[in-house]
Amino acid sequence: MISRQWTGIAQKEMASTYVSHLQNDTFPKLSSIKGFVKAAILQRDVPEGIEFLIITEWESLDAVKQFAGADPAVAVVPPAVQELMVRYDEVVRHYE
């Protein structure tokens, strides 16, 4: 099992928009990928806005590559999401 973890800080007023994006766009796409197991959204208030920790679980690194591409360490942050963020990880962390 692979746990893929990414953090980003959204502007406070854009936090609900980001959660909607995950629930209505990203997670449905992930669900269609063979080897995807589940996803979680964790959040907390920080001085800069709302910090999110997004955790996805996968059966294998090959399954992750179906989502992330050839280099699975590179974060997948669409332009629309980038606009909502104060800052975000450009590289994700994978744990077994």
Side-chain angles (χ1 to χ4, degrees), residues 10-49:
Q11 302 166 46
K12 240 179 211 187
E13 63 277 3
M14 299 309 238
S16 62
T17 301
Y18 177 56
V19 171
S20 292
H21 169 80
L22 290 172
Q23 294 173 333
N24 298 316
D25 185 58
T26 303
F27 291 170
K29 287 178 184 173
L30 295 181
S31 294
S32 71
I33 297 173
K34 184 173 172 27
F36 171 75
V37 176
K38 66 180 180 176
I41 304 168
L42 304 175
Q43 67 184 66
R44 66 182 183 147
D45 288 334
V46 296
E48 297 168 276

Side-chain angles (χ1 to χ4, degrees), residues 36-96:
F36 171 75
V37 176
K38 66 180 180 176
I41 304 168
L42 304 175
Q43 67 184 66
R44 66 182 183 147
D45 288 334
V46 296
E48 297 168 276
I50 305 295
E51 181 180 48
F52 287 93
L53 170 60
I54 307 304
I55 301 171
T56 55
E57 293 188 12
W58 304 81
E59 291 177 359
S60 68
L61 199 55
D62 285 335
V64 173
K65 288 179 181 179
Q66 291 178 60
F67 166 65
D71 185 354
V74 174
V76 178
V77 187
V81 171
Q82 292 176 26
E83 292 179 13
L84 306 174
M85 295 291 157
V86 174
R87 62 183 166 85
Y88 56 87
D89 295 341
E90 294 183 15
V91 175
V92 300
R93 296 166 303 282
H94 292 103
Y95 298 90
E96 291 186 33

